[in-house]
Amino acid sequence: MKLRLKLHIKGRVQGVGFRPFIYNLAKKHNLCGFVFNDPSGVTVEAEGEKDNLKYFLRSLKELAPKISYVDKIDKEIIPLKSEKIFFIANSYISKDKFVFISPDISICDDCLRELFSYDNRRHLYPFINCTNCGPRYTIIKDIPYDRSRTTMNTFKMCSECFSEYRDVRDRRFHAQPNACFNCGPSMNLVNRNNKLSSHIEREDVEDILIKASELLYRGNILAVKGIGGYHLCCDAKNKEAVRKLREIKNRPTKPFALMVSNIDILKKICFMSKKEIEVVNSIRRPIVILRIKIYKDWMKDIALHQKFLGVMLPYTPLHYLLFFYLRKIMPEPILIMTSANYKDSPLIAKEEEIFKLKEVSYFLIHNRGIYARCDDSISRVYNRKEIILRKARGYIPDFFEFPTKKRILGCGAELKSTFSLTKNNYLITSPYLGDLKNYATYTFFKNTLQHFKKIFSFDAEVVAYDCHPNYLSTQYALGLNDVVKIPIQHHYAHMASCILENRVEEKVIGVIFDGIGFGLDGNVWGGEFFVGDLNNFTRLAYFDYFGLVGGDKAVEEPFRVAFYILYFLFGEDMFKLNIEFIKQFNYEISLPFIYLVRGKHYVYTSSVGRLFDAVSSLLRVKDRVSYEAEAAILLEMLSYKCRERKLNSYPFEIVKERGYYKIKWQNLFKEIVEDLLKGVDKAKIGFKFHYSLATIVRKTCQTIRDAYGIRKVVISGGVFQNFLLFKLVTKFLKDSDFQVYYNCRFPTNDENISVGQVAIANARLGGS
Ligand code: ZN
Ligand code: ZN
Ligand code: FE
């Protein structure tokens, strides 16, 4: 019996080889009909024997192209039309455009094979790609996704490329960035004064890469243009090169991400589970945080005192070529690949900007334009699940199903800025944009938002933003006209992002440990226990307030918090304490501080991030930081060295005062000082501090469960990037019969704020 089916397929099905896939599948199963792109996905009409249709449908789900993502298929039976053939019909374009733009995808195995095949016409061609791989998001200027609306529009396909492009049986059918030596982008190794020629031959590529790898071998820094922007690159094992790179980046201690040529070399330096291998190797190619196997001497310069390395595999043809030539002169090349930018400014993607980096002399550039900049992403694995820590290249744009009738924009926070918007029942998040503290990043924020508004034809009716009056994201929101404006408390937004991501329906306990965020009482929050859902929340418990002497300065100088706590606990007797921390201050030097503390020249905070700082400084691990959370990170690393696992918590109290449970940390710190006086191993003190915080979380959640009967806990906030604390807290809660939820898809740091803002604003407006 013959049937005709009309299918409407939603999801990431455009620009990913979906139509040729359908076409070939239909032919295989002897069907007639057609397929075309429509504004929200792909429409198929297929007609044939009932059984054939059944197999067609089954394969459609099972064999869909790797980078596609089928969200939903609507089916209906319609009258027969009995065409002779199956064909690809013209795209249907409407004004209200909405398509699932694909993220940028690492080079596929087929292209990689061709890249290194002597007889292939693209042998060594650095911009080889196909329907299954290559740049997408970063080259798209507008939609529908056609070459004319990408940065490839300046290159005219040669006849050979065009015939591949038109041939539905070809892997490059409708591959918009399709190119070859004859017609595509070219590259060159230049110093500031050279120009890029518009054409490149195979021999040129060899010359260029031989020179580039020699430069790296000799310890030079190379600026390398990638998919989403420029990297600064050097030999990771060359001490002098790494020192120079640190100077250029004005980055004295922060660990660098590495690129390693293949999985086998990676296995030699890091431990990897099956899941970690899968994530490192995935088509998204994030930087993955892996545990170091043997701490080699050269790692000191890359990641001093670290237990983990951030590592990625090559993901563009150019990376593979570079390693291919490097291997001829170095046995196991490992490169630092760090984003090229000026301090606190966004990633550089344009030649005129990269040439301004005075200390860099060599540039591996090309002329395929980067329209939307995008940093490398960072992930780690826990419990066989990928946890995204920074979401950008390979993951963006991200579409999260989110039924709503409103067009909502969430503006995010300040550090680790992102925005989120709603469209056609999806929540779409921007890439990580950087720290929104200066004009350059603010411009990047506004331009990226403008771009998203255009490609998703979005225009906000509702805007949600952080309560902090000084955030540039808040000021942006307040400057908008004719929109409903909804301010949202920072830590509540953290909690909401986690509720939404895990689709928790009931009320939850929210444990939000964070750096700093604007609290509803005007103090700086950051050690919070809430109860609530997306509709509202109540603050039930928090860490007893302490002084942040010098406000933001205290974030850069953790010793200020330690000093406050000691003065608070011991008064001027603190100078009699025979501990290393005190030896750096004599009474005279300390007078200005004492004056500030006595005069209460500080803001109050409950921030757990700052408590980490205080302990780190008390232990003389770090007094001043050169990057965000450095003191806390080094304390975590030190704590891993503690061999004892059977410990007790430091003492603490949970006291009910004026309707709140306050977590009294005073005795905890007194005991830490006692341990220091006794000369207890610092690694043990550090570990015991982590252990105590996890115990505090368990005890406080139990107290709340007893009063409210809630046993679902969401944990979120920047402090949970601390993997040791994260593991202890989830374990303690699970062992005490709580159901624990955490962020995987929306990073637990401030990247998730815009997501939470949208979720809460939507609920406040009556939900979907
Ligand atoms: Zn490919
Ligand atoms: Zn060509
Ligand atoms: Fe935060």
Side-chain angles (χ1 to χ4, degrees), residues 629-683:
E630 183 178 17
I633 291 168
L634 292 178
L635 181 66
E636 176 194 349
M637 296 307 147
L638 174 69
S639 305
Y640 285 114
K641 294 199 177 121
C642 172
R643 289 277 150 253
E644 275 175 73
R645 282 295 181 270
K646 282 221 161 101
L647 294 167
N648 293 320
S649 164
Y650 283 119
F652 63 88
E653 288 82 43
I654 301 173
V655 178
K656 195 148 194 184
E657 275 174 27
R658 275 183 249 153
Y660 294 106
Y661 295 107
K662 286 189 189 166
I663 296 146
K664 300 276 181 187
W665 42 263
Q666 287 77 350
N667 286 333
L668 186 152
F669 273 88
K670 272 187 194 155
E671 200 83 357
I672 288 178
V673 172
E674 276 300 308
D675 275 355
L676 283 172
L677 288 169
K678 278 190 259 172
V680 173
D681 178 26
K682 287 180 180 177

Coordinates of all heavy atoms in Angstrom, one line a residue, residues 629-683:
A629 N 40.2 34.6 41.4 CA 40.1 33.4 42.3 C 41.5 32.7 42.4 O 41.5 31.5 42.9 CB 39.1 32.5 41.7
E630 N 42.6 33.3 42.1 CA 43.9 32.7 42.2 C 44.1 32.1 43.6 O 44.6 30.9 43.8 CB 45.0 33.6 41.8 CG 46.4 32.9 41.8 CD 47.5 33.9 41.4 OE1 47.3 35.1 41.4 OE2 48.6 33.4 41.1
A631 N 43.8 32.9 44.6 CA 44.1 32.5 46.0 C 43.3 31.2 46.3 O 43.9 30.2 46.9 CB 43.8 33.6 47.0
A632 N 42.1 31.2 46.0 CA 41.2 30.0 46.2 C 41.7 28.8 45.5 O 41.7 27.7 46.0 CB 39.8 30.3 45.9
I633 N 42.1 29.0 44.2 CA 42.5 27.9 43.4 C 43.8 27.2 43.9 O 43.9 26.0 44.0 CB 42.7 28.4 41.9 CG1 41.4 28.7 41.3 CG2 43.5 27.3 41.1 CD1 41.5 29.5 39.9
L634 N 44.7 28.1 44.4 CA 46.0 27.5 44.9 C 45.7 26.8 46.2 O 46.4 25.8 46.5 CB 47.0 28.7 45.1 CG 47.5 29.2 43.7 CD1 48.5 30.4 44.0 CD2 48.1 28.1 42.9
L635 N 44.7 27.3 47.0 CA 44.4 26.6 48.3 C 43.8 25.2 47.9 O 44.1 24.3 48.6 CB 43.4 27.5 49.1 CG 43.0 26.8 50.4 CD1 44.1 26.8 51.4 CD2 41.8 27.6 51.0
E636 N 43.0 25.2 46.9 CA 42.4 23.9 46.5 C 43.5 22.9 46.1 O 43.6 21.8 46.5 CB 41.4 24.1 45.3 CG 40.9 22.8 44.7 CD 40.2 23.0 43.4 OE1 40.0 24.1 42.9 OE2 39.9 22.0 42.7
M637 N 44.5 23.4 45.3 CA 45.6 22.6 44.8 C 46.4 22.1 46.0 O 46.8 20.9 46.0 CB 46.5 23.4 43.8 CG 45.8 23.8 42.6 SD 45.0 22.3 41.8 CE 43.5 23.1 41.0
L638 N 46.7 23.0 47.0 CA 47.4 22.6 48.1 C 46.7 21.5 48.9 O 47.3 20.5 49.4 CB 47.7 23.8 49.0 CG 48.4 23.5 50.4 CD1 49.8 23.1 50.2 CD2 48.3 24.8 51.3
S639 N 45.4 21.6 49.0 CA 44.6 20.7 49.8 C 44.6 19.3 49.3 O 44.4 18.3 50.0 CB 43.1 21.2 49.9 OG 43.1 22.6 50.4
Y640 N 44.7 19.2 47.9 CA 44.8 17.8 47.4 C 46.0 17.0 47.9 O 46.0 15.8 47.9 CB 44.9 17.9 45.8 CG 43.7 18.3 45.1 CD1 43.6 19.4 44.4 CD2 42.6 17.4 45.1 CE1 42.4 19.8 43.7 CE2 41.4 17.8 44.4 CZ 41.3 19.0 43.8 OH 40.2 19.3 43.1
K641 N 47.0 17.8 48.4 CA 48.2 17.1 48.9 C 47.9 16.4 50.3 O 48.8 15.7 50.7 CB 49.3 18.1 49.0 CG 49.8 18.6 47.6 CD 51.2 19.2 47.7 CE 51.6 19.6 46.3 NZ 51.9 21.0 46.3
C642 N 46.8 16.7 50.9 CA 46.6 16.2 52.2 C 46.3 14.7 52.1 O 45.4 14.3 51.3 CB 45.4 16.9 52.9 SG 44.8 16.1 54.4
R643 N 47.0 13.9 52.8 CA 46.9 12.4 52.6 C 45.8 11.9 53.6 O 45.2 10.8 53.3 CB 48.2 11.7 52.9 CG 49.2 12.0 51.9 CD 49.1 11.0 50.7 NE 49.5 11.6 49.5 CZ 48.7 12.0 48.5 NH1 47.4 11.9 48.6 NH2 49.2 12.6 47.4
E644 N 45.6 12.5 54.7 CA 44.5 12.1 55.6 C 43.2 12.3 55.0 O 42.9 13.3 54.5 CB 44.6 12.9 57.0 CG 45.7 12.3 57.9 CD 45.8 13.2 59.1 OE1 44.8 13.2 59.9 OE2 46.8 13.9 59.2
R645 N 42.3 11.3 55.1 CA 41.0 11.5 54.6 C 40.0 11.4 55.8 O 38.8 11.8 55.6 CB 40.6 10.5 53.6 CG 41.2 10.8 52.2 CD 40.6 12.1 51.7 NE 41.1 12.5 50.4 CZ 42.2 13.2 50.1 NH1 42.9 13.7 51.2 NH2 42.6 13.5 48.9
K646 N 40.4 10.9 56.9 CA 39.4 10.8 58.0 C 39.6 12.0 58.9 O 40.5 12.1 59.8 CB 39.8 9.5 58.9 CG 39.2 8.3 58.2 CD 38.6 7.3 59.3 CE 37.7 6.3 58.7 NZ 38.3 5.0 58.5
L647 N 38.8 13.0 58.7 CA 39.0 14.3 59.4 C 37.7 14.6 60.1 O 36.6 14.2 59.7 CB 39.4 15.4 58.4 CG 40.8 15.2 57.8 CD1 40.9 16.2 56.7 CD2 41.9 15.5 58.8
N648 N 37.8 15.5 61.0 CA 36.6 16.2 61.5 C 36.5 17.6 60.9 O 37.5 18.1 60.5 CB 36.6 16.3 63.1 CG 36.6 14.9 63.7 OD1 35.9 14.0 63.2 ND2 37.5 14.7 64.7
S649 N 35.3 18.1 61.0 CA 35.1 19.5 60.5 C 35.6 20.4 61.6 O 35.7 20.1 62.8 CB 33.6 19.7 60.3 OG 33.3 21.1 60.3
Y650 N 36.1 21.6 61.2 CA 36.3 22.6 62.1 C 35.0 23.0 62.8 O 33.9 22.8 62.2 CB 36.9 23.9 61.4 CG 38.4 23.7 61.1 CD1 38.8 23.8 59.8 CD2 39.3 23.6 62.1 CE1 40.2 23.7 59.5 CE2 40.7 23.5 61.8 CZ 41.1 23.5 60.5 OH 42.4 23.4 60.2
P651 N 35.0 23.6 64.0 CA 33.8 23.9 64.7 C 33.1 25.1 64.0 O 33.7 26.0 63.5 CB 34.2 24.3 66.1 CG 35.6 24.7 66.0 CD 36.2 23.9 64.8
F652 N 31.8 25.0 64.0 CA 31.0 26.2 63.5 C 29.6 26.1 64.2 O 29.3 25.0 64.8 CB 30.8 26.1 62.0 CG 30.1 24.9 61.5 CD1 28.7 24.9 61.4 CD2 30.7 23.7 61.2 CE1 28.0 23.7 61.0 CE2 30.1 22.6 60.8 CZ 28.7 22.6 60.7
E653 N 28.9 27.2 64.1 CA 27.5 27.1 64.7 C 26.5 27.7 63.7 O 26.9 28.5 62.9 CB 27.4 28.0 66.0 CG 28.1 27.4 67.2 CD 29.6 27.7 67.2 OE1 30.0 28.9 66.9 OE2 30.4 26.8 67.5
I654 N 25.3 27.1 63.8 CA 24.2 27.7 63.0 C 23.3 28.3 64.0 O 22.7 27.6 64.8 CB 23.6 26.6 62.1 CG1 24.6 26.0 61.1 CG2 22.4 27.3 61.3 CD1 24.1 24.8 60.3
V655 N 23.1 29.6 64.0 CA 22.4 30.3 65.0 C 21.2 31.0 64.4 O 21.4 31.7 63.3 CB 23.3 31.3 65.8 CG1 22.5 32.1 66.8 CG2 24.4 30.6 66.4
K656 N 20.0 30.9 65.0 CA 18.9 31.7 64.4 C 18.9 33.1 65.0 O 18.8 33.3 66.2 CB 17.6 30.9 64.7 CG 16.5 31.5 63.8 CD 15.5 30.4 63.4 CE 14.6 30.9 62.3 NZ 13.5 30.0 61.9
E657 N 19.0 34.1 64.1 CA 19.0 35.5 64.5 C 18.1 36.3 63.6 O 18.3 36.2 62.4 CB 20.4 36.1 64.5 CG 21.3 35.8 65.7 CD 22.7 36.3 65.5 OE1 22.9 37.2 64.7 OE2 23.6 35.8 66.1
R658 N 17.2 37.0 64.1 CA 16.3 37.8 63.3 C 15.7 37.1 62.1 O 15.7 37.6 61.0 CB 17.0 39.1 62.9 CG 16.9 40.2 64.0 CD 17.5 41.5 63.6 NE 18.7 41.7 64.3 CZ 19.7 42.4 63.9 NH1 19.7 43.0 62.7 NH2 20.8 42.6 64.6
G659 N 15.3 35.9 62.3 CA 14.6 35.2 61.3 C 15.5 34.5 60.3 O 15.1 33.8 59.4
Y660 N 16.8 34.7 60.4 CA 17.7 34.0 59.5 C 18.6 33.0 60.3 O 18.9 33.2 61.5 CB 18.7 35.0 58.9 CG 18.0 35.9 57.9 CD1 17.8 37.3 58.3 CD2 17.6 35.5 56.7 CE1 17.2 38.1 57.4 CE2 17.0 36.4 55.8 CZ 16.8 37.7 56.2 OH 16.2 38.6 55.3
Y661 N 19.0 31.9 59.6 CA 20.0 31.1 60.2 C 21.4 31.7 59.8 O 21.6 31.9 58.6 CB 20.0 29.6 59.6 CG 18.7 28.9 60.0 CD1 17.7 28.6 59.1 CD2 18.6 28.4 61.3 CE1 16.6 27.9 59.4 CE2 17.4 27.7 61.7 CZ 16.4 27.5 60.7 OH 15.3 26.8 61.1
K662 N 22.2 32.0 60.8 CA 23.5 32.5 60.4 C 24.5 31.5 60.7 O 24.6 30.9 61.8 CB 23.7 33.8 61.3 CG 22.9 35.0 60.8 CD 23.3 36.3 61.4 CE 22.3 37.3 61.0 NZ 22.5 38.5 61.9
I663 N 25.4 31.3 59.7 CA 26.5 30.4 59.9 C 27.7 31.1 60.5 O 28.3 32.0 59.9 CB 26.9 29.7 58.6 CG1 25.7 28.9 58.1 CG2 28.1 28.8 58.7 CD1 25.5 28.9 56.6
K664 N 28.0 30.7 61.8 CA 29.0 31.4 62.5 C 30.4 30.7 62.2 O 30.6 29.6 62.6 CB 28.8 31.3 64.0 CG 27.4 32.0 64.4 CD 27.7 33.5 64.6 CE 26.4 34.2 65.0 NZ 26.5 35.7 65.0
W665 N 31.3 31.5 61.5 CA 32.5 30.9 61.1 C 33.7 31.3 62.1 O 34.8 30.9 61.9 CB 32.9 31.5 59.7 CG 32.6 33.0 59.7 CD1 31.4 33.5 59.1 CD2 33.3 34.1 60.2 NE1 31.5 34.9 59.3 CE2 32.6 35.3 59.9 CE3 34.5 34.2 60.9 CZ2 33.0 36.5 60.3 CZ3 35.0 35.5 61.3 CH2 34.2 36.6 61.0
Q666 N 33.3 32.0 63.2 CA 34.3 32.5 64.1 C 35.2 31.4 64.7 O 36.4 31.5 64.7 CB 33.6 33.3 65.2 CG 33.1 34.7 64.8 CD 31.8 34.6 64.0 OE1 31.3 33.5 63.6 NE2 31.2 35.8 63.8
N667 N 34.6 30.4 65.2 CA 35.3 29.3 65.9 C 36.2 28.5 64.8 O 37.2 28.0 65.1 CB 34.4 28.4 66.6 CG 34.0 29.0 67.9 OD1 34.7 29.9 68.5 ND2 32.8 28.7 68.4
L668 N 35.6 28.4 63.6 CA 36.3 27.8 62.6 C 37.7 28.5 62.3 O 38.7 27.8 62.3 CB 35.5 27.8 61.3 CG 35.9 27.1 60.0 CD1 34.6 26.7 59.2 CD2 36.8 27.9 59.2
F669 N 37.6 29.8 62.3 CA 38.9 30.5 62.0 C 39.8 30.5 63.3 O 41.0 30.4 63.1 CB 38.6 31.9 61.6 CG 38.4 32.1 60.1 CD1 37.2 31.9 59.5 CD2 39.5 32.3 59.3 CE1 37.0 31.9 58.2 CE2 39.4 32.4 57.9 CZ 38.1 32.2 57.4
K670 N 39.2 30.5 64.5 CA 40.0 30.4 65.7 C 40.8 29.1 65.6 O 42.0 29.1 66.0 CB 39.1 30.5 66.9 CG 38.9 31.9 67.4 CD 38.2 31.9 68.7 CE 37.6 33.2 69.1 NZ 36.5 33.2 70.0
E671 N 40.1 28.0 65.2 CA 40.8 26.7 65.2 C 41.9 26.6 64.1 O 42.9 26.0 64.3 CB 39.7 25.7 65.0 CG 40.1 24.3 65.4 CD 39.8 24.0 66.9 OE1 39.4 24.9 67.6 OE2 40.1 22.8 67.2
I672 N 41.6 27.3 63.0 CA 42.7 27.3 62.0 C 43.9 28.0 62.5 O 45.0 27.6 62.3 CB 42.2 28.1 60.7 CG1 41.1 27.2 60.0 CG2 43.3 28.4 59.7 CD1 40.5 27.8 58.7
V673 N 43.7 29.1 63.3 CA 44.9 29.8 63.9 C 45.6 28.9 64.9 O 46.8 28.8 64.9 CB 44.4 31.1 64.5 CG1 45.5 31.8 65.3 CG2 43.9 32.1 63.5
E674 N 44.8 28.2 65.7 CA 45.3 27.2 66.6 C 46.2 26.2 65.8 O 47.4 25.9 66.2 CB 44.2 26.4 67.3 CG 43.6 27.1 68.5 CD 44.6 27.3 69.6 OE1 45.3 26.3 70.0 OE2 44.7 28.5 70.0
D675 N 45.7 25.7 64.7 CA 46.4 24.7 63.9 C 47.7 25.3 63.4 O 48.8 24.6 63.4 CB 45.6 24.2 62.8 CG 44.7 23.0 63.2 OD1 44.8 22.5 64.4 OD2 43.9 22.5 62.4
L676 N 47.7 26.5 63.0 CA 48.9 27.2 62.5 C 49.9 27.4 63.6 O 51.1 27.1 63.4 CB 48.5 28.6 61.9 CG 47.9 28.6 60.5 CD1 47.4 30.0 60.1 CD2 48.9 28.1 59.5
L677 N 49.4 27.7 64.8 CA 50.3 27.9 66.0 C 51.0 26.5 66.3 O 52.1 26.5 66.7 CB 49.5 28.4 67.2 CG 49.1 29.9 67.1 CD1 48.1 30.2 68.2 CD2 50.3 30.8 67.2
K678 N 50.2 25.4 66.1 CA 50.7 24.1 66.4 C 51.6 23.6 65.3 O 52.2 22.5 65.4 CB 49.6 23.1 66.6 CG 49.0 23.2 68.0 CD 48.0 22.0 68.2 CE 46.6 22.5 68.1 NZ 45.5 21.5 68.1
G679 N 51.7 24.3 64.2 CA 52.5 23.9 63.1 C 51.9 22.7 62.3 O 52.6 21.9 61.7
V680 N 50.6 22.6 62.3 CA 49.9 21.5 61.5 C 50.2 21.7 60.0 O 50.2 22.9 59.6 CB 48.4 21.5 61.8 CG1 47.6 20.6 60.9 CG2 48.1 21.2 63.3
D681 N 50.3 20.7 59.3 CA 50.6 20.7 57.9 C 49.5 21.6 57.2 O 48.3 21.4 57.3 CB 50.5 19.3 57.3 CG 50.7 19.2 55.8 OD1 51.4 20.1 55.3 OD2 50.2 18.2 55.2
K682 N 50.0 22.5 56.3 CA 49.0 23.4 55.7 C 48.1 22.7 54.7 O 46.9 23.1 54.6 CB 49.8 24.5 54.9 CG 50.5 25.5 55.9 CD 51.2 26.5 55.1 CE 51.8 27.6 56.0 NZ 52.6 28.6 55.2
A683 N 48.6 21.7 54.1 CA 47.7 20.9 53.2 C 46.5 20.4 54.0 O 45.4 20.3 53.5 CB 48.4 19.8 52.5

